[in-house]
Amino acid sequence: MPKFIINGGKTLSGKIAVSGAKNSALKIIPAALLSTEILTVKNLPRIEDVERSFEVLSDLGAKINRQGDEATIDTSNLSSTELNAKMANKFRGSIMFVGPMLARFKEVKFPHPGGCVIGAGGRPIDLFLEGYRAFGAEIEEVSGKFYHIKANKLQGADYFFPLVSVTATESMIMTATIIPGTTTLKNCAMEPEITALAEYLNSQGAKISGAGTPTIIIEGQEKISADTFTVIPDRIETGSFVIMAAAANADLEITDCDPEHIMTLLQILKKVGVDFSYGPDWIKVNSGKLPLLAHGIRTHEYPGFATDLQSPYVVLMTQAQGTALIHETIYDRRLIWTDMLSQMGANITMCDPHRIVTQGPTKLHGKRLMSPDLRAGIALVIAALIAEGQTEIDNIYQIDRGYEKLEERLRGIGADIERVE
Ligand code: EPU
């Protein structure tokens, strides 16, 4: 299995460009199923989760033509309504195919999506199932591992999400777009990826209003067209790079990003004492006076502090003066990785599965580690970049899932990082 070998303590500086957002790409690829016309996707990140999505879609019979960061997707001649269990099992994003498949074929068979260690009980999909039932679908479930969903007729519905879910919101928007009747969704997630998806679908004939707010109304259309979608910049990568620059006390310009999407993080970084400025599509972090000041966070749905930025932020707090309470409210298992940071020398107290307290500043030392998930993975990379000595990070498939050619881009700003096969 490939791993990263990182020699820490190098001065980082220069410019680093942000890729297209994983969590936008993983929705637009299944959205190709909502039309029989050809969809062109631009600014696609070259990451493992996108590869896995294309695998699932090709297996269904779609024709995909890829060149660099662009792809065309033709779903006019699909041959199957069953997601390949082995392929879909590998990643959580496979659940995004279900809503569009159901809307288009009134039938879909799929395995429980796997591939992720965060969240309790293997990350449930109960909200999705409840939503499809509200549209009139019947669900046959085989011991929580495999699902067969069918409907004679689907009809728009009113649905109130009992908890805020990004992908469940997106899934119901996609289904409602091409089924008869009006759908009103309440307590929706408000992430920028949802707004981008809705704006694109509207440009192709869908009637979706309220995306980006808690209430979304969709008037179902008989059909919609397809054209070009440009994947929005990855706000989690943006935030991770800003935090990396702050933790390394680097002069770094982060380009091709949208600072508006990480305003909560930027506000908190001001309190921490990070010196930065930003424009419409760039953020410049300046090295400054140390130490930084510890500041607690509580993760929250957008526009709150993103759970996906919690792990890099914890690394920053190991370098800040004082104590910070980190409260993870979205996932049950997303703080366990901090044990590895403690092994590197961080002073972290676990209060309960959802809360830790960091005490800094502490020097970090190189270690042999394993990346448990994508976001903990980038946090370990940041920790390794600022640590004394050499760190070996195993299981970097988890990092490749969401960060394109990370080692090449980090070498471009002065990092000493190698991929060893
Ligand atoms: N949940 C349920 N039932 C469901 C769906 C979700 O109980 O049917 C729970 C989850 O277990 C979690 C909470 O609801 O405790 C919120 O999860 P949400 O459904 O919002 O997460 P998601 O839609 O599965 C997306 C991103 C995640 C990101 C979260 C929160 C994608 C493909 N994934 O997941 O991204 O952490 O929203 O912002 O969009 C990542 O990129 O590393 C990542 C995990």
Side-chain angles (χ1 to χ4, degrees):
M1 241 195 233
K3 45 181 143 181
F4 282 149
I5 308 280
I6 300 171
N7 290 305
K10 304 286 180 255
T11 301
L12 305 183
S13 66
K15 285 188 186 188
I16 190 163
V18 170
S19 305
K22 167 178 85 77
N23 290 344
S24 175
L26 292 185
K27 322 304 165 56
I28 195 63
I29 296 170
L33 291 159
L34 295 174
S35 170
T36 49
E37 295 178 10
I38 292 176
L39 166 69
T40 302
V41 188
K42 293 189 172 171
N43 198 31
L44 258 179
R46 276 160 282 186
I47 54 175
E48 291 295 335
D49 271 15
V50 163
E51 298 304 321
R52 301 291 83 76
S53 266
F54 279 135
E55 260 172 37
V56 170
L57 199 50
S58 311
D59 184 74
L60 289 170
K63 287 198 183 68
I64 295 154
N65 210 323
R66 294 188 64 185
Q67 249 164 6
D69 65 357
E70 276 191 41
T72 57
I73 309 173
D74 177 356
T75 66
S76 56
N77 282 310
L78 286 208
S79 47
S80 169
T81 54
E82 180 166 348
L83 302 194
N84 181 304
K86 266 198 188 140
M87 294 175 181
N89 231 327
K90 280 189 199 152
F91 70 117
R92 170 84 183 172
S94 64
I95 188 72
M96 297 317 300
F97 287 98
V98 177
M101 293 282 286
L102 178 64
R104 180 153 157 193
F105 301 109
K106 304 209 171 36
E107 179 171 19
V108 52
K109 295 179 186 166
F110 64 101
H112 191 89
C116 201
V117 296
I118 55 172
R123 283 177 81 183
I125 59 164
D126 53 316
L127 300 181
F128 294 77
L129 302 181
E130 246 178 63
Y132 305 141
R133 280 195 189 100
F135 288 138
E138 282 176 19
I139 302 173
E140 193 190 322
E141 192 177 327
V142 186
S143 45
K145 286 192 178 142
F146 200 84
Y147 306 86
H148 182 182
I149 309 189
K150 267 201 310 209
N152 292 327
K153 184 171 180 287
L154 291 164
Q155 178 71 34
D158 289 354
Y159 184 74
F160 188 103
F161 289 100
L163 57 92
V164 178
S165 165
V166 178
T167 44
T169 300
E170 292 161 327
S171 186
M172 286 198 71
I173 291 175
M174 290 201 267
T175 311
T177 291
I178 55 162
I179 65 173
T182 301
T183 295
T184 303
L185 303 175
K186 292 195 173 154
N187 200 24
C188 296
M190 302 192 285
E191 271 65 2
E193 293 77 21
I194 300 176
T195 314
L197 176 67
E199 280 172 2
Y200 164 74
L201 294 175
N202 281 343
S203 73
Q204 300 309 310
K207 287 219 160 55
I208 304 164
S209 59
T213 77
T215 302
I216 300 178
I217 298 172
I218 305 121
E219 287 171 45
Q221 306 298 305
E222 212 171 292
K223 59 178 187 172
I224 63 165
S225 324
D227 196 347
T228 302
F229 177 86
T230 303
V231 176
I232 62 172
D234 196 310
R235 67 195 157 90
I236 304 303
E237 188 170 280
T238 307
S240 305
F241 288 164
V242 173
I243 291 171
M244 173 179 73
N249 198 25
D251 289 298
L252 194 67
E253 187 173 339
I254 294 115
T255 66
D256 303 78
C257 62
D258 189 342
E260 287 296 326
H261 292 167
I262 56 160
M263 272 304 147
T264 307
L265 172 70
L266 294 182
Q267 289 304 323
I268 286 172
L269 291 183
K270 268 190 203 162
K271 295 186 176 153
V272 170
V274 179
D275 178 14
F276 65 88
S277 54
Y278 61 88
D281 60 358
W282 56 268
I283 302 170
K284 191 165 180 337
V285 181
N286 304 307
S287 56
K289 73 170 176 2
L290 297 175
L292 299 170
L293 300 174
H295 194 276
I297 54 147
R298 186 173 182 275
T299 63
H300 196 277
E301 292 86 6
Y302 189 84
F305 194 100
T307 170
D308 296 339
L309 287 173
Q310 170 258 106
S311 22
Y313 187 81
V314 172
V315 178
L316 181 63
M317 285 304 98
T318 68
Q319 304 308 300
Q321 181 81 51
T323 59
L325 173 66
I326 310 292
H327 188 169
E328 169 58 55
T329 67
I330 310 287
Y331 293 114
D332 288 339
R333 293 164 56 85
R334 230 184 194 178
L335 286 170
I336 294 176
W337 75 278
T338 58
D339 180 50
M340 284 187 246
L341 211 46
S342 299
Q343 289 174 38
M344 294 179 80
N347 185 348
I348 295 175
T349 308
M350 172 124 352
C351 312
D352 61 48
H354 285 270
R355 291 177 306 156
I356 56 164
V357 173
T358 59
Q359 167 83 57
T362 42
K363 276 208 158 67
L364 301 179
H365 312 283
K367 270 269 163 198
R368 289 183 67 173
L369 304 165
M370 196 164 104
S371 172
D373 76 79
L374 169 63
R375 307 304 175 187
I378 190 79
L380 291 177
V381 169
I382 296 171
L385 290 172
I386 60 173
E388 271 176 6
Q390 191 173 78
T391 299
E392 210 176 294
I393 304 176
D394 215 327
N395 196 28
I396 58 170
Y397 176 80
Q398 285 300 331
I399 300 174
D400 294 337
R401 278 185 46 217
Y403 295 91
E404 177 179 331
K405 297 189 180 143
L406 186 64
E407 71 278 22
E408 283 178 27
R409 290 191 288 159
L410 292 181
R411 276 200 296 269
I413 56 167
D416 182 347
I417 173 171
E418 289 296 332
R419 174 183 295 262
V420 180
E421 295 299 331

